[in-house]
Amino acid sequence: MGRVTVVVVCCAALAAGVAAAVVVCRRVKRGGKCGKANGIMKEFEEKCRTPAAKLKQVADAMTVEMHAGLASEGGSKLKMIISYVDNLPTGDEKGTYYALDLGGTNFRVLRVHLGGKGVGLINQEFAEVSIPPHLMTGTSDALFDYIAAELGKFVSQESEEFKLSPGRQRELGFTFSFPVMQTSINTGTLVRWTKGFSIDELVGRDVVEELSRAMAKQGLDMSVSALVNDTVGTLAGGRYTNKDVVAAVILGTGSNAAYVERAQAIPKWHGVPSKSGEMVINMEWGDFRSSHLSLSEYDNALDAESLNPGEQIFEKMISGMYLGEIVRRVLLRMAQEAAFFGDTVPPKLEVPFALRTPDMSAMHHDTSSDLKVVETKLKDILEISSTSLSMRKTIVELCNIVATRGARLAAAGILGVLKKMGRDAAKDGDKQKTVIAMDGGLYEHYAEYSKCLENTLEELLGEELFKNIVIEHSNDGSGIGAALLAASHSKYLQDE
Ligand code: ADP
Ligand code: MG
């Protein structure tokens, strides 16, 4: 696996092995501060190592936690939430349905027109709005009123053809991508917030009730037929077009996974019959933790200063909200203790979350010989005006270390899920495809990350087995999936 794509680093040696590093450090003791900065990075790189043997331990730990979470409520950090989705879309769904996708930085409102058997998706329209940051930590009413108002705008702009027959309400699938303890397909209470949201009063309340109240206030005649999260929505959306989809992974602002479990293998479900004998499980894998993850001091500090300390440790190592922030923390240490940027520490570098993952990704992908993009990003974002080429190379290498660790750990998580589904080993003559629907801005836009994830999965599974595994990018599948689930759980189904 190409762990190091850009190897030339400050004073030319970080990745060149111990002997070279020693030589460099000696030279630097005489010549400047560069060696100390290299030492800081080397130590971090060492902590971040993820050899295959360690990743297999992570995967095994994931499988063990999955079993424990299915056995009893609270049996594991992994909540293994029963989604109440026991029938995935078949392709026969018909009619116009809506979806609302709230889960991170943006929310989307969608309308899909489903043609029924043999026809499929006729069209979809959507509007995307970014969530004003003050609503993420404000009041429940403020958040839901805002969402309902945007939904109201979307509906009011639609043409006559979408007018429903008298007495019929519009139906909505609500993708709410935070840990929710579901009590039915369209009820569930918020367990806790993640990804920078923090509205205490909503914890423990039914999110569908809150949305319904806000919609009524807006005069919107609409009902919520399905409450899902992005992983369950993506799985449903993926299955609609490919019957081999059995799991979904999200790598966006946060990270999570869902998969299809045998109902019998869910002891805490107490044998309640499921129509299909299956049940989609929302793992909430972001909260996974294991001693094999080997956290660095930077991860520990990031966690301690976060809105949710002690929680979502796996997510904080692999997802888009945090990768840039880890890079910033290492750079800050290099600036403070090794004067990496000169005698003063750039003030902007001290601001939490100042370096966002898309900017980190842009620097990591800089292919210009003089690393112009890195230079510009440092100038624009951190107000660091003069950097040498070797400094910029060091920064690219640091991005590579953080992205590589994240991608490799995410691959180990996927291996854990494949193991739980019994799809990690060859069975005689088995050519069964296992398709994982994947979505999220991190996976979609951070090419070095997604390439590394796929290479690592191949490294872990071996070439032969990997041939049967397909990672399918499902662009915005979570919204469509929620609309499909609203269709399959429509209250008017019996009437048709
Ligand atoms: P959400 O997870 O908020 O529902 P997305 O799936 O669109 O939304 O993911 C958005 C996240 O993806 C951003 O918060 C960011 O971390 C990451 N991201 C977006 N663009 C890029 C990029 N160009 N490079 C790396 N990461 C990106
Ligand atoms: Mg999303």
Side-chain angles (χ1 to χ4, degrees), residues 442-462:
L442 179 69
Y443 182 84
E444 189 181 348
H445 301 295
Y446 203 149
E448 283 293 332
Y449 184 102
S450 31
K451 199 172 66 191
C452 177
L453 187 155
E454 275 155 46
N455 290 343
T456 307
L457 200 54
E458 179 167 16
E459 178 189 338
L460 296 174
L461 283 166

Side-chain angles (χ1 to χ4, degrees), residues 55-56 58-59 62 407-417 456-457 460:
L55 293 179
K56 286 180 180 167
V58 171
M62 182 69 84
R408 287 179 67 81
L409 288 175
I414 293 173
L415 177 62
V417 179
T456 307
L457 200 54
L460 296 174

